[in-house]
Amino acid sequence: IIILLCFTGAMYPAMDLTAGEKERGTMETILCSPIGRTELVLGKFLMVLTGSLSTVVLAGVSASITIPLGGLFFSRGAGAAAARAASSGPATLPLIDPAGLLASFVMVLPVAVLFAAVIFTLALFAKSYKEAQSTVSPLIVVVILPAIAAMLPGVELTPALALVPLLNVSLVCKELVSGVFHWGLLALIFGSTCVYAAAALALAVRMFNREDVIFRT
């Protein structure tokens, strides 16, 4: 869910700051400003990244408030079933390690950078906002499939899978929320994801400096 939120939070700002500006005719005005292309693309990228991370944080805060309140509401309205549960003792809930949950958010940071850079680059090729939507939206399937694969029985974190983008983060987050810390694999996953994110960001900067990409007709 966190990975999907990272993607959707970056998708709409990226499309608006690239294809949206082409469609509105404001891209030329921005390019005439007295700053370099690299500064422009990094500023736009940071805005997209902020949207992605804000989506994850706000969704996490909302869930941390609404889920306990919802559980309290349903427990009060359970009636006889709640009384039987109380007489038999407190229910056993799955334990989530708070440190592991915080570590999961840290591991997702380079993923947010990767998503922001990739979506920004793809949307930059589009001539209109509608075309950008048609280009970027199918990537949701690419994001969901590794997350679903990480939940399948028998799929465990290994050094080989630690190098597979998205799947590695999904697998390690599953371990972290259970309180299991594989420090070597954590370093490998975080480092490899940072490399992928840096490569994607470098590609975004390169594409933004190409006139045939920005003014594609």
Side-chain angles (χ1 to χ4, degrees), residues 61-78:
V61 171
S62 176
S64 65
I65 296 174
T66 55
I67 291 177
L69 290 179
L72 181 62
F73 174 78
F74 286 111
S75 65
R76 287 182 176 179

Side-chain angles (χ1 to χ4, degrees), residues 23-191:
E23 198 169 19
R24 292 189 298 268
T26 56
M27 181 67 77
E28 293 83 355
T29 305
I30 293 176
L31 293 176
C32 291
S33 57
I35 55 176
R37 291 284 183 92
T38 302
E39 287 77 10
L40 279 174
V41 68
L42 289 180
K44 289 176 176 290
F45 163 77
L46 289 176
M47 184 63 213
V48 176
L49 180 60
T50 301
S52 176
L53 295 178
S54 298
T55 301
V56 174
V57 171
L58 292 175
V61 171
S62 176
S64 65
I65 296 174
T66 55
I67 291 177
L69 290 179
L72 181 62
F73 174 78
F74 286 111
S75 65
R76 287 182 176 179
R84 289 194 298 269
S87 62
S88 62
T92 302
L93 297 175
L95 297 178
I96 296 179
D97 186 13
L101 188 60
L102 180 61
S104 298
F105 281 100
V106 174
M107 296 298 296
V108 169
L109 287 177
V111 176
V113 176
L114 176 63
F115 283 156
V118 169
I119 298 173
F120 184 90
T121 303
L122 291 177
L124 193 62
F125 281 87
K127 294 180 290 186
S128 64
Y129 192 89
K130 186 176 181 180
E131 182 182 341
Q133 281 185 312
S134 301
T135 304
V136 176
S137 296
L139 289 179
I140 295 179
V141 178
V142 180
V143 174
I144 293 177
L145 287 179
I148 294 177
M151 300 174 61
L152 296 176
V155 180
E156 301 295 336
L157 184 61
T158 62
L161 292 180
L163 297 175
V164 180
L166 301 184
L167 179 60
N168 54 5
V169 177
S170 299
L171 288 171
V172 78
C173 286
K174 183 174 66 174
E175 301 287 340
L176 290 174
V177 295
S178 302
V180 180
F181 290 79
H182 301 288
W183 295 108
L185 293 177
L186 281 173
L188 181 60
I189 292 172
F190 191 84

